């Protein structure tokens, strides 16, 4: 077992578990981590492709955390629910699927172009700062406005699709999937709590679909055989991302009951400035990516 790679896996699991659900961009943080202590592709049979698989596997851990935490709301077959509640749950899943359409289409059609032209540290820094500013402006605007949608069953199909369009914007690295969807929800008239909650639900088909495609692609080229070290790296990253995601989501939902997203906005701006400074001082290459 390569202890150093296992430690890196542990740290990346923590980063994934926190930054996937907070509106602060997991990609931006992965770039920062990779600039100092990247996984060593030469130690894995699949090379760079194995590292991409690893990133997918830890996302899987985060998805399972959402399903576990919100199983009561997401399970349409629960015997404890009335017939009306079951219909509402089925309707919720339809809304989630509708909201997933824009990102799925754009992601499939433009995946290669996005990776080729947008996956670099400079773009990430710009988007971190830009959406940080957007969050501050939207929170200032909403401070005097009562949310139009403060219950999940009041979120209609049109609103779900519009939020899905914002999720598609997160295909640009540094935007943050949760950040884009929450910001869109706030602009449309959702409360912070409903915006965050629906953002988490949208992640299930979106991230699950992307993860399955990535895993199938890897297995097709390299098979399913892993070394003990590779299994260890995958397992540690997956479990840590799962556990940390549970705490991150729970704490965020409690936090936004009485706080705005401004603290996350300022944090985004700070991280974006740090990335820019790292470019200017030579710590990061202009093409630095995850």
């Amino acid at each position: 077992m390569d202890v150093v790679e296992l430690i890196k896996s542990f740290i990346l699991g923590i980063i994934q578990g926190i930054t996937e659900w907070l509106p602060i961009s997991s990609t931006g943080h992965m770039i920062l981590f990779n600039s100092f202590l990247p996984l060593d592709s030469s130690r894995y049979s699949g090379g760079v492709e194995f590292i991409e698989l690893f990133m997918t596997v830890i996302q899987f851990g985060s998805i399972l955390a959402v399903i576990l935490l919100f199983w009561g709301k997401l399970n349409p077959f629960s015997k404890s629910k009335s017939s009306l509640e079951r219909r509402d749950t089925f309707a919720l899943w339809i809304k989630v699927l509708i909201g997933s359409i824009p990102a799925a289409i754009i992601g499939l059609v433009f995946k290669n172009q996005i990776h080729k032209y947008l996956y670099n540290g400079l773009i990430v820094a710009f988007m971190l700062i830009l959406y940080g500013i957007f969050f501050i402006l939207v929170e200032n605007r909403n401070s005097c406005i009562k949310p139009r949608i403060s219950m999940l069953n009041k979120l209609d199909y049109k609103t779900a699709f519009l939020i899905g369009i914002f999720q598609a914007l997160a295909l640009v690295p540094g935007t943050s999937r949760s950040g884009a969807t929450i910001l869109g929800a706030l602009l449309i008239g959702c409360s912070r709590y409903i915006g965050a909650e629906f953002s988490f639900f949208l992640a299930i088909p979106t991230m699950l679909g992307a993860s399955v495609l990535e895993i199938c692609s890897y297995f097709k080229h390299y098979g399913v055989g892993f070394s003990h070290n590779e299994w260890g790296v995958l397992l540690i990253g997956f479990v840590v991302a799962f556990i940390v995601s549970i705490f991150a989501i729970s704490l965020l939902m409690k936090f936004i009951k009485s706080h705005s997203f401004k603290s996350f906005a300022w944090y985004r701006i700070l991280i974006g400035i740090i990335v820019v400074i790292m470019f200017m001082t030579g710590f990061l290459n202009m093409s630095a990516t995850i």
Side-chain angles (χ1 to χ4, degrees):
M1 285 285 188
D2 190 324
V3 176
V4 174
E5 292 298 293
L6 294 177
I7 292 173
K8 293 176 185 176
S9 172
F10 182 86
I11 297 173
L12 285 167
I14 294 174
I15 294 172
Q16 166 65 26
I18 294 174
T19 61
E20 184 61 51
W21 307 116
L22 305 188
I24 56 178
S25 174
S26 58
T27 305
H29 288 77
M30 292 296 185
I31 282 180
L32 286 175
F33 180 81
N34 256 17
S35 66
F36 294 106
L37 199 64
L39 289 172
D40 187 352
S41 60
S42 67
R43 296 181 181 274
Y44 306 105
S45 58
V48 174
E49 285 76 11
F50 176 83
I51 295 176
E52 292 177 357
L53 175 70
F54 168 79
M55 296 300 180
T56 300
V57 168
I58 61 176
Q59 284 185 346
F60 231 99
S62 295
I63 297 169
L64 287 181
V66 173
I67 295 173
L68 176 66
L69 286 172
F70 295 99
W71 182 245
K73 288 188 176 182
L74 295 172
N75 180 15
F77 304 106
S78 174
K79 294 180 180 180
S80 64
K81 291 183 176 180
S82 65
S83 58
L84 177 59
E85 290 172 329
R86 291 177 185 175
R87 285 199 299 270
D88 284 344
T89 306
F90 276 114
L92 172 62
W93 274 109
I94 295 173
K95 294 169 189 175
V96 168
L97 293 175
I98 289 173
S100 302
I101 291 173
I105 293 175
I106 296 174
L108 288 172
V109 174
F110 297 104
K111 177 183 177 180
N112 293 334
Q113 291 87 341
I114 290 170
H115 277 265
K116 182 177 180 179
Y117 297 109
L118 299 180
Y119 264 68
N120 64 77
L122 191 60
I123 293 291
V124 168
F126 176 76
M127 299 309 293
L128 280 166
I129 295 171
L130 181 64
Y131 274 78
I133 294 171
F134 284 164
F135 261 110
I136 293 171
L137 294 175
V138 171
E139 285 286 15
N140 285 341
R141 188 205 72 160
N142 285 5
S143 62
C144 306
I145 301 174
K146 184 178 180 180
R148 179 174 59 87
I149 302 171
S150 56
M151 295 179 64
L152 198 58
N153 60 1
K154 299 299 181 183
L155 192 152
D156 57 27
Y157 296 103
K158 178 183 177 181
T159 301
F161 183 75
L162 291 174
I163 295 174
I165 293 175
F166 279 91
Q167 178 173 245
L169 297 176
L171 291 169
V172 179
T175 300
S176 168
R177 192 206 60 80
S178 61
T181 50
I182 291 171
L183 186 67
L186 293 177
L187 279 169
I188 294 168
C190 296
S191 67
R192 296 188 191 100
Y193 195 91
I194 295 302
E197 197 171 53
F198 192 69
S199 170
F200 298 155
F201 298 161
L202 275 181
I204 297 173
T206 302
M207 293 172 61
L208 193 61
S211 297
V212 169
L213 288 175
E214 187 69 41
I215 291 171
C216 290
S217 176
Y218 182 88
F219 287 165
K220 180 180 179 180
H221 290 92
Y222 297 98
V224 297
F226 295 117
S227 67
H228 291 302
N229 186 58
E230 289 170 341
W231 274 117
V233 167
L234 291 171
L235 184 61
I236 287 176
F238 173 85
V239 172
V240 172
F242 172 72
I243 294 172
V244 173
S245 289
I246 289 175
F247 284 102
I249 293 170
S250 300
L251 290 174
L252 177 64
M253 298 309 283
K254 290 178 182 178
F255 179 83
I256 61 177
K257 286 182 178 180
S258 55
H259 298 81
S260 74
F261 285 102
K262 282 187 179 181
S263 55
F264 298 110
W266 287 113
Y267 178 80
R268 287 181 64 101
I269 293 171
L270 175 63
I271 293 296
I273 292 173
I274 290 173
V275 173
V276 171
I277 292 173
M278 290 176 69
F279 282 136
M280 295 175 65
T281 55
F283 282 100
L284 277 177
N285 295 322
M286 293 294 285
S287 59
T289 179
I290 58 173

